[in-house]
């Protein structure tokens, strides 16, 4: 008798709305169309290292479409090639890839589906090069993964950030204040750019365009003169001044990318008050952007990505990730994805759009 196809799913890196929608689509498609057996590794690569997994039957993924987070758990630290272990108070790093490969072989996996950001997909690519049949699905609110024009979770994060800008507008106007909203995005300014445009922000600051504090001061003062006695600034956590550096919130030593950004909003607020004398307040939106139910768009998109991943498993397109190009699902080699993150290019049409409606980028 022919062996039943066996597929494992793992979710790695920071969570975001829509992961469960992808898991659901992959599992349902594999069961419906390929009579496959599906399991899920728990807590990202931790589960793969320690062989901790659970069955994913049809009933396990029923009713999770609208659920935020990931039913499998995730980790931003676990990396099979640089696995952090505590030796007393000291942190040591071990290469656990041989254990991971053995676990996959012992389980007789026909494919490992990795739903992750650039770090997790980079590890997926290394596992593929080491002989594991892997299919990737890009995931992050930051929208910064190479090889795809969009990641699921981004629309949900932008929707949350936009509603925060909307709320800040009324209080900014009432108190004649400058309100700063700091959003996530890592070293890419996509969330700030989209939510800034959607919320009608007066100034949008992104990592890709280092700002000049004097220009920001000029813009808010000019608005005041015109009778607009408030300003809304949307700043990306990775934004920095010209010739300056990012603001670091914390270092997570166990993580391959140990820097956690955050705090630029407060630095900026203080500088603006000093230079302009205008009352300024800062709100850091933080992990709210990663929480809650996915938007309708993300549910549809995530379902499409999951279904396409199912096709790729059937067609043995291992070493590839599902991507979106000009509105169509495409297959992108994981080795190209692992080359770094996708930031806003200088010729991005949205930069022009924002400028056309008078938005400043602080330069
Ligand atoms: O990559 C997703 C993200 O939310 C980034 O926007 C942010 O810089 C980072 O993760 C925050 O990491 P943590 O969840 O470890 O605080």
């Amino acid at each position: 008798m022919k062996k039943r196809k066996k597929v494992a799913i793992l979710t790695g890196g920071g969570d975001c709305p829509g992961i469960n929608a992808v898991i659901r689509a992959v599992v349902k498609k594999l069961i419906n169309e390929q009579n496959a057996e599906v399991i899920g590794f728990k807590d990202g690569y931790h589960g793969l290292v320690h062989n901790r997994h659970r069955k994913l039957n049809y009933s396990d993924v029923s009713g999770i479409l609208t659920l935020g987070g990931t039913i499998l758990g995730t980790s931003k630290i676990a990396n099979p090639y640089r696995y952090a272990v505590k030796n007393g108070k000291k942190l040591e790093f071990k290469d656990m890839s041989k254990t991971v490969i053995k676990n996959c072989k012992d389980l007789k996996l026909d494919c490992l589906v990795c739903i992750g950001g650039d770090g997790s997909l980079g590890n997926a690519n290394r596992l593929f090069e080491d002989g594991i049949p892997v299919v990737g699905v890009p995931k992050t609110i930051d929208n910064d993964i190479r090889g795809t024009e969009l990641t699921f979770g981004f629309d949900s994060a932008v929707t949350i950030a936009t509603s925060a800008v909307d709320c800040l507008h009324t209080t900014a106007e009432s108190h004649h204040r400058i309100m700063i909203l700091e959003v996530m995005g890592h070293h890419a300014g996509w969330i700030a750019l989209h939510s800034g445009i959607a919320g009608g922000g007066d100034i949008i600051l992104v990592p890709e365009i280092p700002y000049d504090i004097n220009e920001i001061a000029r813009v808010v003062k000019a608005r005041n003169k015109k009778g607009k006695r408030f300003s809304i600034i949307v700043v990306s956590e990775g934004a920095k001044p010209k010739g300056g550096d990012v603001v670091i919130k914390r270092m997570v030593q166990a993580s391959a990318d140990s820097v956690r950004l955050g705090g630029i909003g407060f630095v900026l607020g203080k500088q603006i008050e000093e230079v302009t004398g205008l009352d300024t307040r800062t709100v850091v939106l933080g992990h709210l952007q990663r929480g809650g139910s996915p938007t309708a768009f993300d549910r549809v998109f995530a379902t499409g990505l999951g279904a396409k991943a199912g096709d790729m498993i059937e067609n043995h397109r291992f070493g590839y990730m599902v991507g979106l190009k000009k509105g169509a699902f495409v297959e992108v080699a994981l080795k190209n994805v692992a080359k770094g993150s996708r930031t806003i290019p200088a010729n991005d049409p949205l930069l022009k759009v924002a400028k056309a409606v008078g938005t400043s980028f602080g330069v």
Side-chain angles (χ1 to χ4, degrees):
M1 213 172 74
K2 212 177 148 215
K3 173 190 161 288
R4 217 175 142 200
K5 185 182 285 180
K6 191 167 181 187
V7 175
I9 303 177
L10 77 76
T11 57
D15 69 343
C16 76
I19 299 182
N20 288 326
V22 176
I23 295 174
R24 169 183 174 269
V26 173
V27 173
K28 287 197 168 186
K29 172 145 178 130
L30 288 173
I31 293 175
N32 282 338
E33 297 181 3
Q34 299 171 45
N35 186 32
E37 181 189 348
V38 193
I39 61 168
F41 282 110
K42 295 180 182 176
D43 304 330
Y45 286 106
H46 281 313
L48 206 51
V49 169
H50 298 292
N51 209 14
R52 285 193 286 119
H53 46 82
R54 56 174 273 198
K55 270 199 158 243
L56 288 174
N57 292 320
Y58 215 84
S59 57
D60 296 310
V61 297
S62 180
I64 66 168
L65 174 65
T66 60
L67 203 66
T70 159
I71 58 163
L72 293 176
T74 187
S75 165
K76 290 189 79 164
I77 293 169
N79 174 343
Y81 293 89
R82 190 177 174 272
Y83 196 74
V85 268
K86 271 210 167 151
N87 184 357
K89 281 195 174 158
K90 241 181 88 197
L91 203 58
E92 288 175 354
F93 294 94
K94 287 188 178 168
D95 182 352
M96 299 297 284
S97 56
K98 289 212 164 67
T99 307
V100 160
I101 291 162
K102 184 177 180 306
N103 289 343
C104 289
K105 297 236 156 102
D106 289 351
L107 284 164
K108 297 192 173 45
L109 292 183
D110 295 293
C111 180
L112 172 69
V113 178
C114 176
I115 306 170
D118 50 1
S120 305
L121 293 172
N123 286 327
N125 182 51
R126 288 185 75 175
L127 287 175
F128 170 69
E129 286 169 352
D130 284 340
I132 303 298
V134 170
V135 164
V137 181
K139 161 236 59 119
T140 170
I141 61 163
D142 302 336
N143 198 29
D144 63 348
I145 298 181
R146 282 197 188 202
T148 184
E149 287 163 3
L150 192 63
T151 56
F152 74 85
F154 175 65
D155 184 65
S156 302
V158 168
T159 301
I160 292 165
T162 303
S163 97
V165 177
D166 292 349
C167 292
L168 291 180
H169 246 115
T170 52
T171 176
E173 201 160 0
S174 308
H175 285 270
H176 317 298
R177 277 176 176 157
I178 297 167
M179 294 297 306
I180 300 173
L181 178 71
E182 179 182 311
V183 296
M184 282 185 166
H186 208 213
H187 294 290
W190 295 109
I191 298 178
L193 180 61
H194 283 247
S195 61
I197 292 176
D202 306 298
I203 301 174
I204 298 173
L205 303 177
V206 294
E208 294 84 348
I209 309 174
Y211 66 81
D212 176 352
I213 187 68
N214 295 317
E215 177 57 17
I216 294 172
R218 190 195 65 73
V219 172
V220 295
K221 282 203 243 161
R223 278 177 54 79
N224 265 27
K225 259 197 192 149
K226 275 197 276 174
K228 289 275 189 189
R229 293 171 59 210
F230 73 97
S231 289
I232 302 286
I233 303 178
V234 181
V235 59
S236 183
E237 62 180 1
K240 48 187 174 294
K242 271 185 187 165
D245 220 335
V246 290
V247 178
I248 294 172
K249 185 171 59 185
R250 66 167 73 207
M251 298 296 287
V252 183
Q253 296 308 345
S255 184
D257 182 7
S258 52
V259 173
R260 295 292 180 271
L261 299 168
I264 183 71
F266 293 108
V267 173
L268 189 68
K270 198 162 168 273
Q271 285 177 336
I272 291 176
E273 282 198 329
E274 278 166 11
V275 180
T276 65
L278 296 168
D279 206 15
T280 305
R281 297 288 187 275
T282 295
V283 173
V284 179
L285 201 50
H287 292 80
L288 286 173
Q289 291 157 100
R290 295 222 311 251
S293 186
T295 56
F297 178 88
D298 270 338
R299 293 177 202 182
V300 175
F301 185 34
T303 303
L305 289 166
K308 171 72 181 173
D311 284 335
M312 288 163 71
I313 295 165
E314 185 160 25
N315 300 326
H316 292 201
R317 299 292 289 158
F318 304 132
Y320 286 84
M321 164 194 99
V322 196
L324 189 78
K325 204 172 179 189
K326 295 192 177 130
F329 292 118
V330 291
E331 296 169 1
V332 185
L334 280 169
K335 64 171 187 290
N336 295 334
V337 175
K339 281 181 183 159
S341 59
R342 189 182 73 94
T343 51
I344 303 172
N347 63 353
D348 191 89
L350 272 190
L351 295 175
K352 248 180 140 181
V353 167
K355 283 180 198 156
V357 294
T359 307
S360 164
F361 287 94
V363 283

